[in-house]
Amino acid sequence: MPQHRSEPRSSQADDVPSPASDSPTRQSSRGGDVLIEAQGLGRHYDEGNVDALADASFCIRTGQYVAIVGKSGSGKTTLLNLIGGLDRPTRGELHYDGRPLDARSDLDRHRCRNVGFVFQSYYLLPNLTAAENVQVPMFEADYTPAERSARAKELLEQVGLSGREDHMPSQLSGGEAQRVAIARALANAPKLILADEPTGALDSETGDSILRLLEELNRTQAITLIVVTHDEAVAARADHRLRLADGRIVTP
Ligand SMILES: Nc1ncnc2c1ncn2[C@@H]1O[C@H](COP(=O)(O)OP(=O)(O)O)[C@@H](O)[C@H]1O
Ligand SMILES: [Mg+2]
């Protein structure tokens, strides 16, 4: 269970001014314990001498649906990668579930146990079937082969792909491939899904159905959902927005 931090040191994503959908009732019904807390977070790249992210302080609570929004190059992917433990910050502090994600942390373990990733270009392994792709993260957990296989089938059913278990990625449409990627993200029952431009490669109707699937997981399973997008219409669907410009959080 998330540890309760009685005195969060940073402002909350809730504080980011956002449209009328953020009624206090809705906020209080969707804000659990603090899951992610960043304080003065930064990522400098020596290559090009770029501050891809600077001085980001925010917190995100269990069960929230947050959009990280900003123009191309504003630092969205950089921030998402830090939250997901795909990268380490060069400044500041980041806590997940009350524990620091720092130089001593086992980021592989954090990613495997806590985070499901969904990317714009799916990243399915081309030589594995849909069901085998879904099973890949399960090898890091304690499932038997029979459990892996049953769970993959169940997850594919959950994302609307019953009967597609044995399809190869090349035999799937973009929307279907993204559904497989979402099933794979759910493999180890994460509390958090990080989606980087998940609709970026899809037509608007298919993209909409993918967003609705992610939103349903957020709503019905209380999975915290963070979606990176440059698309204001996508961002408007989230309950809260973290807006980035030139590597800094800005208020709209
Ligand atoms: N590996 C890297 N090395 C050097 N600079 C990088 C690297 N990754 C990203 N950047 C730079 O950091 C900034 C933010 O990039 P990114 O987080 O990918 O933005 P966004 O996802 O909002 O498009 C950009 O200026 C980009 O060029
Ligand atoms: Mg990006």
Side-chain angles (χ1 to χ4, degrees):
M1 288 298 290
Q3 290 174 17
H4 181 67
R5 296 179 65 83
S6 55
E7 289 180 300
R9 287 161 295 152
S10 57
S11 65
Q12 307 196 358
D14 313 40
D15 295 341
V16 177
S18 43
S21 66
D22 294 339
S23 72
T25 318
R26 185 159 184 179
Q27 280 187 16
S28 58
S29 68
R30 291 175 65 82
D33 291 339
V34 172
L35 185 65
I36 296 151
E37 185 177 4
Q39 189 68 34
L41 199 64
R43 176 64 163 99
H44 179 85
Y45 287 111
D46 289 337
E47 179 94 60
N49 193 24
V50 183
D51 280 313
L53 188 73
D55 204 23
S57 299
F58 59 89
C59 77
I60 293 173
R61 293 176 178 274
T62 298
Q64 282 186 331
Y65 173 17
V66 176
I68 298 173
V69 62
K71 291 188 181 138
S72 179
S74 59
K76 305 182 297 296
T77 294
T78 300
L79 175 55
L80 202 74
N81 289 348
L82 294 177
I83 293 171
L86 287 169
D87 188 17
R88 295 181 191 274
T90 48
R91 294 198 77 139
E93 286 179 39
L94 183 63
H95 284 76
Y96 179 90
D97 216 355
R99 285 183 288 275
L101 284 182
D102 59 21
R104 294 180 308 280
S105 305
D106 182 347
L107 291 185
D108 289 346
R109 195 180 152 89
H110 168 61
R111 285 199 301 272
C112 170
R113 302 235 164 164
N114 301 320
V115 191
F117 292 94
V118 178
F119 301 97
Q120 175 170 349
S121 45
Y122 329 128
Y123 290 132
L124 299 181
L125 295 173
N127 299 324
L128 300 184
T129 65
E132 288 166 347
N133 267 284
V134 175
Q135 288 186 45
V136 167
M138 296 183 205
F139 285 87
E140 303 295 326
D142 301 325
Y143 295 107
T144 65
E147 284 168 345
R148 278 200 302 272
S149 167
R151 184 163 171 74
K153 193 168 187 300
E154 206 174 281
L155 289 170
L156 285 170
E157 192 180 321
Q158 200 181 326
V159 300
L161 289 180
S162 293
R164 303 285 210 290
E165 290 85 358
D166 297 328
H167 280 51
M168 303 305 289
S170 62
Q171 299 172 313
L172 299 169
S173 70
E176 288 169 341
Q178 195 60 302
R179 284 172 189 270
V180 174
I182 292 170
R184 179 183 56 189
L186 294 169
N188 292 333
K191 277 198 258 183
L192 173 65
I193 288 187
L194 303 180
D196 195 347
E197 307 271 7
T199 64
L202 302 171
D203 64 74
S204 63
E205 196 177 320
T206 309
D208 190 61
S209 74
I210 290 298
L211 273 183
R212 279 191 273 113
L213 174 60
L214 291 169
E215 288 163 358
E216 187 189 323
L217 295 169
N218 165 254
R219 222 177 30 248
T220 62
Q221 300 184 30
I223 297 175
T224 308
L225 175 62
I226 306 179
V227 174
V228 155
T229 184
H230 66 274
D231 183 336
E232 292 291 341
V234 171
R237 296 167 65 133
D239 297 321
H240 308 283
R241 275 146 291 277
L242 280 175
R243 193 170 292 276
L244 289 176
D246 293 329
R248 291 182 178 269
I249 294 178
V250 293
T251 45

Short mmCIF file of all heavy atoms in Angstrom, two decimals, residues 154-179:
data_model
loop_
_atom_site.label_atom_id
_atom_site.label_comp_id
_atom_site.label_asym_id
_atom_site.label_seq_id
_atom_site.Cartn_x
_atom_site.Cartn_y
_atom_site.Cartn_z
N GLU A 154 -6.00 -13.69 -20.83
CA GLU A 154 -6.96 -12.86 -20.08
C GLU A 154 -6.76 -11.37 -20.38
O GLU A 154 -7.72 -10.63 -20.61
CB GLU A 154 -6.68 -13.11 -18.61
CG GLU A 154 -7.78 -12.93 -17.63
CD GLU A 154 -7.28 -13.39 -16.26
OE1 GLU A 154 -7.24 -14.61 -16.00
OE2 GLU A 154 -6.86 -12.52 -15.48
N LEU A 155 -5.50 -10.94 -20.41
CA LEU A 155 -5.22 -9.51 -20.65
C LEU A 155 -5.58 -9.12 -22.08
O LEU A 155 -6.11 -8.03 -22.31
CB LEU A 155 -3.75 -9.19 -20.34
CG LEU A 155 -3.38 -9.22 -18.86
CD1 LEU A 155 -1.87 -9.14 -18.67
CD2 LEU A 155 -4.06 -8.06 -18.10
N LEU A 156 -5.32 -10.01 -23.02
CA LEU A 156 -5.69 -9.70 -24.40
C LEU A 156 -7.20 -9.60 -24.54
O LEU A 156 -7.72 -8.75 -25.27
CB LEU A 156 -5.11 -10.74 -25.36
CG LEU A 156 -3.60 -10.60 -25.62
CD1 LEU A 156 -3.04 -11.79 -26.37
CD2 LEU A 156 -3.32 -9.30 -26.38
N GLU A 157 -7.89 -10.44 -23.79
CA GLU A 157 -9.36 -10.37 -23.79
C GLU A 157 -9.81 -9.02 -23.21
O GLU A 157 -10.69 -8.36 -23.74
CB GLU A 157 -9.89 -11.53 -22.95
CG GLU A 157 -11.37 -11.77 -23.09
CD GLU A 157 -11.80 -12.95 -22.22
OE1 GLU A 157 -11.05 -13.95 -22.14
OE2 GLU A 157 -12.88 -12.84 -21.61
N GLN A 158 -9.13 -8.63 -22.15
CA GLN A 158 -9.49 -7.37 -21.48
C GLN A 158 -9.32 -6.15 -22.40
O GLN A 158 -10.05 -5.18 -22.28
CB GLN A 158 -8.59 -7.23 -20.25
CG GLN A 158 -9.11 -6.27 -19.22
CD GLN A 158 -8.14 -6.18 -18.04
OE1 GLN A 158 -7.48 -7.14 -17.67
NE2 GLN A 158 -8.04 -5.00 -17.47
N VAL A 159 -8.36 -6.21 -23.30
CA VAL A 159 -8.16 -5.07 -24.21
C VAL A 159 -8.89 -5.26 -25.53
O VAL A 159 -8.67 -4.52 -26.49
CB VAL A 159 -6.66 -4.78 -24.46
CG1 VAL A 159 -5.94 -4.45 -23.17
CG2 VAL A 159 -5.98 -5.94 -25.19
N GLY A 160 -9.76 -6.27 -25.59
CA GLY A 160 -10.62 -6.45 -26.77
C GLY A 160 -9.98 -7.23 -27.89
O GLY A 160 -10.35 -7.06 -29.06
N LEU A 161 -9.01 -8.09 -27.57
CA LEU A 161 -8.31 -8.83 -28.63
C LEU A 161 -8.42 -10.34 -28.49
O LEU A 161 -7.49 -11.08 -28.86
CB LEU A 161 -6.82 -8.43 -28.65
CG LEU A 161 -6.50 -7.03 -29.16
CD1 LEU A 161 -5.00 -6.80 -29.13
CD2 LEU A 161 -7.04 -6.81 -30.57
N SER A 162 -9.56 -10.81 -27.99
CA SER A 162 -9.77 -12.27 -27.94
C SER A 162 -9.62 -12.84 -29.34
O SER A 162 -10.09 -12.24 -30.31
CB SER A 162 -11.18 -12.58 -27.46
OG SER A 162 -11.32 -12.18 -26.15
N GLY A 163 -8.97 -13.98 -29.42
CA GLY A 163 -8.82 -14.63 -30.72
C GLY A 163 -7.61 -14.15 -31.50
O GLY A 163 -7.30 -14.70 -32.56
N ARG A 164 -6.93 -13.10 -31.00
CA ARG A 164 -5.75 -12.59 -31.72
C ARG A 164 -4.44 -13.05 -31.06
O ARG A 164 -3.37 -12.56 -31.42
CB ARG A 164 -5.74 -11.06 -31.74
CG ARG A 164 -6.95 -10.41 -32.34
CD ARG A 164 -6.92 -10.52 -33.86
NE ARG A 164 -7.61 -9.40 -34.47
CZ ARG A 164 -8.91 -9.19 -34.42
NH1 ARG A 164 -9.68 -10.04 -33.75
NH2 ARG A 164 -9.45 -8.15 -34.99
N GLU A 165 -4.54 -13.99 -30.12
CA GLU A 165 -3.36 -14.39 -29.33
C GLU A 165 -2.16 -14.77 -30.20
O GLU A 165 -1.02 -14.46 -29.88
CB GLU A 165 -3.69 -15.59 -28.42
CG GLU A 165 -4.62 -15.29 -27.26
CD GLU A 165 -6.10 -15.35 -27.66
OE1 GLU A 165 -6.39 -15.59 -28.86
OE2 GLU A 165 -6.96 -15.15 -26.79
N ASP A 166 -2.45 -15.49 -31.29
CA ASP A 166 -1.34 -16.04 -32.08
C ASP A 166 -0.96 -15.18 -33.28
O ASP A 166 -0.12 -15.56 -34.10
CB ASP A 166 -1.71 -17.46 -32.56
CG ASP A 166 -1.90 -18.40 -31.37
OD1 ASP A 166 -1.22 -18.19 -30.34
OD2 ASP A 166 -2.74 -19.31 -31.45
N HIS A 167 -1.56 -14.01 -33.38
CA HIS A 167 -1.17 -13.10 -34.47
C HIS A 167 0.23 -12.55 -34.24
O HIS A 167 0.62 -12.27 -33.11
CB HIS A 167 -2.15 -11.92 -34.55
CG HIS A 167 -3.44 -12.24 -35.25
ND1 HIS A 167 -4.22 -13.32 -34.94
CD2 HIS A 167 -4.07 -11.58 -36.26
CE1 HIS A 167 -5.28 -13.33 -35.73
NE2 HIS A 167 -5.22 -12.29 -36.54
N MET A 168 0.96 -12.38 -35.33
CA MET A 168 2.25 -11.71 -35.25
C MET A 168 1.99 -10.20 -35.34
O MET A 168 0.98 -9.78 -35.93
CB MET A 168 3.16 -12.14 -36.42
CG MET A 168 3.40 -13.64 -36.52
SD MET A 168 4.05 -14.38 -35.00
CE MET A 168 5.73 -13.72 -35.00
N PRO A 169 2.88 -9.37 -34.79
CA PRO A 169 2.67 -7.92 -34.85
C PRO A 169 2.39 -7.41 -36.27
O PRO A 169 1.56 -6.53 -36.47
CB PRO A 169 3.98 -7.36 -34.29
CG PRO A 169 4.40 -8.39 -33.29
CD PRO A 169 4.03 -9.71 -33.93
N SER A 170 3.05 -8.02 -37.28
CA SER A 170 2.85 -7.56 -38.66
C SER A 170 1.43 -7.84 -39.16
O SER A 170 1.00 -7.28 -40.17
CB SER A 170 3.86 -8.23 -39.59
OG SER A 170 3.66 -9.64 -39.56
N GLN A 171 0.71 -8.71 -38.45
CA GLN A 171 -0.66 -9.05 -38.86
C GLN A 171 -1.69 -8.22 -38.10
O GLN A 171 -2.89 -8.49 -38.20
CB GLN A 171 -0.92 -10.54 -38.60
CG GLN A 171 0.01 -11.45 -39.39
CD GLN A 171 -0.13 -12.91 -38.98
OE1 GLN A 171 -0.15 -13.23 -37.80
NE2 GLN A 171 -0.24 -13.79 -39.96
N LEU A 172 -1.23 -7.25 -37.33
CA LEU A 172 -2.15 -6.43 -36.53
C LEU A 172 -2.22 -5.02 -37.09
O LEU A 172 -1.23 -4.49 -37.61
CB LEU A 172 -1.65 -6.35 -35.08
CG LEU A 172 -1.55 -7.67 -34.30
CD1 LEU A 172 -0.79 -7.44 -32.99
CD2 LEU A 172 -2.94 -8.24 -34.01
N SER A 173 -3.39 -4.40 -36.95
CA SER A 173 -3.50 -2.97 -37.29
C SER A 173 -2.79 -2.16 -36.21
O SER A 173 -2.45 -2.68 -35.14
CB SER A 173 -4.97 -2.57 -37.34
OG SER A 173 -5.52 -2.59 -36.03
N GLY A 174 -2.60 -0.86 -36.47
CA GLY A 174 -1.95 -0.01 -35.48
C GLY A 174 -2.70 -0.01 -34.15
O GLY A 174 -2.09 -0.12 -33.08
N GLY A 175 -4.01 0.10 -34.23
CA GLY A 175 -4.82 0.12 -33.01
C GLY A 175 -4.72 -1.18 -32.24
O GLY A 175 -4.62 -1.20 -31.01
N GLU A 176 -4.70 -2.30 -33.00
CA GLU A 176 -4.57 -3.61 -32.34
C GLU A 176 -3.19 -3.76 -31.71
O GLU A 176 -3.07 -4.28 -30.59
CB GLU A 176 -4.82 -4.73 -33.36
CG GLU A 176 -6.29 -4.85 -33.77
CD GLU A 176 -6.50 -5.78 -34.97
OE1 GLU A 176 -5.52 -6.06 -35.71
OE2 GLU A 176 -7.63 -6.22 -35.17
N ALA A 177 -2.17 -3.30 -32.43
CA ALA A 177 -0.81 -3.38 -31.88
C ALA A 177 -0.72 -2.58 -30.57
O ALA A 177 -0.11 -3.02 -29.59
CB ALA A 177 0.20 -2.87 -32.90
N GLN A 178 -1.36 -1.41 -30.56
CA GLN A 178 -1.31 -0.60 -29.34
C GLN A 178 -2.08 -1.28 -28.21
O GLN A 178 -1.71 -1.19 -27.04
CB GLN A 178 -1.82 0.83 -29.61
CG GLN A 178 -1.50 1.85 -28.53
CD GLN A 178 0.01 2.03 -28.29
OE1 GLN A 178 0.71 1.07 -27.97
NE2 GLN A 178 0.49 3.25 -28.43
N ARG A 179 -3.14 -2.00 -28.55
CA ARG A 179 -3.87 -2.76 -27.52
C ARG A 179 -2.99 -3.87 -26.94
O ARG A 179 -3.02 -4.14 -25.74
CB ARG A 179 -5.17 -3.35 -28.09
CG ARG A 179 -6.26 -2.31 -28.24
CD ARG A 179 -7.47 -2.82 -28.98
NE ARG A 179 -8.34 -1.70 -29.24
CZ ARG A 179 -9.31 -1.29 -28.40
NH1 ARG A 179 -9.57 -1.96 -27.31
NH2 ARG A 179 -10.02 -0.22 -28.69
#
